[in-house]
Amino acid sequence: MTASASDNTPSKKEEKPNVAELPSAFDILLYSLTLTKRHAGDAYGFTAYLLFPLILSFGVRGISGNLGIVAESTVNILSLALSCWAAAAISTLISLKTAHPKKDHDPRSIGNHAASVLGTLLLASLLSGIIQAAGYFLLIIPGIFASILFAFTLEEVVLRGHGPISALAASKARVQHHIAAVGWRLFAIVAAFLTVYFVLGAVVILIGSFATGISPAALAINGVPLWVDAILVVLQIGLLPPVVIAHTVLYLSTSPTVE
């Protein structure tokens, strides 16, 4: 089995999707949690690689001077690259599983596919980020529109095999006719997972406050202990699969219908 974008290549006769047929944000979140539970082994297997730069980040914190700056920058770049790779692998996994639910898919082939498009994905993400940053810097509103229009850049690269520029164009073409419907669902997905993170993060901070005898406010000002920081990062890593899955489910739900 080869985790290829060709499994979901659209037909030339496809038309733009009907907005009314898009599932609600609640349905997307519920289905995404179901998929996360169903494919947790593979999804979290990919995400587990992010623990490596986490461990390295604690090791380089004691390095001072220019060497420390270089070491921390290297770890941050590695973490970013692995995050993009894990997101690409999870998105490929979900696309294959939803298209062929009864077929077994080799995780190594999926990982290899994610690695093969990683360079393109990083470049496309950089271009998208620059455009969005410029939009937010100008009047904020253009940045919001850019964020929505280029929201599916990852999927266009990973699942459709687009290059950096064509991925941005393809994402824009997919979203522009129903930008409000997609934008609302994206907002709901982000808001839901941010709420979960802040609630769980607050619990972790309270535990850290109880364990150290320092008030939560003082911890926030002076910095949390290393072990609390580690738990918060692990919490972020743990939320990556359901976030990527929800995003991929939304992307797949906008697939044009074939006559």
Side-chain angles (χ1 to χ4, degrees), residues 33-183:
L33 293 177
T34 300
L35 290 176
T36 301
K37 180 179 179 181
R38 186 178 301 166
H39 307 298
D42 290 332
Y44 282 100
F46 296 128
T47 312
Y49 285 94
L50 292 173
L51 296 175
F52 178 63
L54 172 61
I55 295 172
L56 287 179
S57 68
F58 296 140
V60 302
R61 286 190 178 186
I63 303 176
S64 59
N66 293 332
L67 181 59
I69 295 175
V70 172
E72 289 185 9
S73 298
T74 301
V75 171
N76 289 335
I77 293 173
L78 176 61
S79 179
L80 175 63
L82 282 176
S83 297
C84 289
W85 173 82
I90 294 170
S91 183
T92 303
L93 171 71
I94 296 305
S95 177
L96 291 173
K97 290 294 186 181
T98 53
H100 311 286
K102 296 183 179 180
K103 185 177 179 180
D104 292 328
H105 303 284
D106 182 12
R108 285 183 293 184
S109 295
I110 294 175
N112 289 338
H113 171 66
S116 70
V117 299
L118 181 58
T120 303
L121 177 58
L122 289 172
L123 181 54
S125 299
L126 176 61
L127 294 175
S128 175
I130 291 174
I131 296 173
Q132 292 177 48
Y136 285 111
F137 178 77
L138 292 175
L139 292 170
I140 299 180
I141 300 299
I144 295 175
F145 276 99
S147 297
I148 299 173
L149 289 173
F150 301 139
F152 296 137
T153 299
L154 180 145
E155 287 84 0
E156 294 296 347
V157 171
V158 176
L159 304 182
R160 305 292 181 179
H162 284 289
I165 302 298
S166 61
L168 297 178
S171 178
K172 178 183 176 182
R174 179 177 287 259
V175 174
Q176 64 184 353
H177 296 294
H178 44 280
I179 189 170
V182 173

